[in-house]
Amino acid sequence: MVIDPVARSTDGESVRIARDVLCAGAGGSGAKICLPEGPEEFARALARRGQRRPVVIGDDRALLRVVGLLHKERELAGVPVSMVPVGAPAAVALSRSLGVPQDTVAAARTVLDGAERAMDLLTDDSGGIVLGGLRIPCGRDGGPNGGRRTAGGPGHRVFVPGAAGPVDAGDHTERAEGAEGAAGVGSAGADGASAGVPGADGHRPWWGPAARTARTALALLAPAAGFWGASRTEAGAAGGRRVRLPEQRLRIEADGVLLADLDRPVRGVSVVPGGQAGAGWPETGTGRGAGAGDGQGDGRDGGGELAEVVVHWPGGGHPVRARARAVTVSGADFHYRADAVVGGPVRTRTWTVQPGGWRLQLPRRE
């Protein structure tokens, strides 16, 4: 049981509940609890697990770190991964789309009583992995100085939906809260004091918690500024106007078949493993249907063998769709967003489907 340090600092109560349920359910076999303080300790704890099944308590970053380490050691296909999501909704969006229950107790019971499910993934020619999906462009913040994918630790940058840009691993929750405040919801009371901020006498106004709850709710319900456009925060900075990224000239090939060339700009590209188009990616037109991502659906089964590729054109033209084992994108320096991480700049990159490349513990089917 590896407990992510960010989860311990942001929601210690959920961590305690998950730990108690898992330890009680482990019975005589016992559960080994690891409390790593950084990426090195995280990797060391995973390497010393022996025959124990790895269970990660934390957000999507923690899940990606475990899967990445197992992939690096060439053990991913043979080691089932279990997860108890702990974090803000934006920080656990990937696990939700994969079918992991979001309730702490339900997720912990799934670790104990669930069933392994083979899942497809994408690997790229640089050794990277994609569990949920990737898209190009990644957003304005994927520039040369932001959002780089790194090995982790201090300076590890992640792209959090709703945040002003890629943020450090240790403070993404605080940044997300700042983004909620950017929604412009009741930031000041009648006396001019900011909601929830102590006054001169050190007293916190009684309406503070309610104001924070309202800000959070509106930040989650506010419509996105556009899948291929800017984040909510960027849209707010632009006075509420929809901000669009420049069109890109990319050459896109799916199993050697040309989908787009440099002579015609594209608005965006999305690639989802296992043929589950629309799994957590808006505007692709398809999805898993009711129950997807709420922990009650079936999740995504591996063995699809093909990825769903969608190319969007400027002006709302009919998108080009294809299914392929390998997708190659080439062009001028471009960035891409793989799950919660921004990669690039690169001039060419190939992603290949690995059918049933990893196993995830999910609720048993009825």
Side-chain angles (χ1 to χ4, degrees):
M1 187 190 312
V2 181
I3 303 177
D4 185 64
V6 176
R8 301 201 306 268
S9 63
T10 58
D11 193 351
E13 179 64 15
S14 293
V15 169
R16 183 192 63 78
I17 293 173
R19 183 190 60 206
D20 291 348
V21 173
L22 292 173
C23 289
S29 60
K32 183 177 180 181
I33 301 175
C34 301
L35 306 173
E37 294 297 338
E40 295 80 9
E41 292 185 18
F42 200 102
R44 199 156 46 240
L46 194 63
R48 295 175 178 174
R49 70 184 184 280
Q51 299 300 315
R52 294 182 177 89
R53 178 164 44 111
V55 178
V56 57
I57 300 177
D59 57 15
D60 292 342
R61 284 186 314 99
L63 173 64
L64 291 170
R65 182 174 295 165
V66 168
V67 174
L69 289 169
L70 292 174
H71 174 69
K72 182 179 179 181
E73 298 300 326
R74 302 183 182 277
E75 298 179 346
L76 182 57
V79 179
V81 178
S82 300
M83 180 185 186
V84 178
V86 174
V92 294
L94 172 61
S95 65
R96 182 168 58 250
S97 73
L98 294 173
V100 178
Q102 299 300 289
D103 176 73
T104 302
V105 175
R109 294 194 179 280
T110 296
V111 173
L112 299 170
D113 306 322
E116 299 174 15
R117 197 84 50 81
M119 311 287 282
D120 297 345
L121 58 81
L122 299 174
T123 57
D124 64 39
D125 45 15
S126 70
I129 58 173
V130 183
L131 303 182
L134 67 92
R135 75 186 191 192
I136 306 170
C138 60
R140 187 182 69 181
D141 301 301
N145 297 320
R148 298 279 183 88
R149 174 168 51 192
T150 62
H156 175 57
R157 310 286 282 177
V158 296
F159 194 94
V160 178
V167 299
D168 289 328
D171 65 355
H172 73 279
T173 303
E174 289 78 2
R175 296 286 186 88
E177 291 175 355
E180 294 167 3
V185 184
S187 59
D191 60 354
S194 176
V197 177
D201 59 355
H203 175 68
R204 288 182 179 272
W206 63 267
W207 63 84
R212 286 195 298 272
T213 301
R215 284 199 301 271
T216 301
L218 284 182
L220 294 174
L221 294 175
F227 177 55
W228 305 115
S231 66
R232 296 189 188 101
T233 306
E234 293 167 351
R241 297 188 304 274
R242 189 182 182 97
V243 180
R244 288 191 176 276
L245 294 171
E247 300 162 358
Q248 292 187 276
R249 295 184 180 272
L250 300 171
R251 180 182 176 89
I252 304 166
E253 299 172 85
D255 285 344
V257 177
L258 188 64
L259 303 182
D261 211 342
L262 300 175
D263 59 349
R264 182 181 181 184
V266 301
R267 184 162 63 101
V269 185
S270 66
V271 183
V272 179
Q276 297 293 336
W281 303 92
E283 294 189 17
T284 53
T286 56
R288 283 180 288 158
D294 60 3
Q296 304 301 317
D298 290 339
R300 288 184 293 156
D301 289 331
E305 297 186 0
L306 300 176
E308 181 82 9
V309 188
V310 183
V311 179
H312 293 264
W313 306 106
H318 188 69
V320 173
R321 301 175 185 275
R323 293 168 66 85
R325 282 194 62 97
V327 180
T328 299
V329 180
S330 308
D333 291 349
F334 64 91
H335 292 77
Y336 57 91
R337 180 178 173 184
D339 295 325
V341 181
V342 173
V346 295
R347 294 193 175 183
T348 183
R349 181 123 294 170
T350 297
W351 289 273
T352 305
V353 179
Q354 304 297 332
W358 69 299
R359 292 184 289 162
L360 179 65
Q361 190 87 345
L362 292 175
R364 293 184 181 274
R365 290 176 173 149
E366 297 297 336

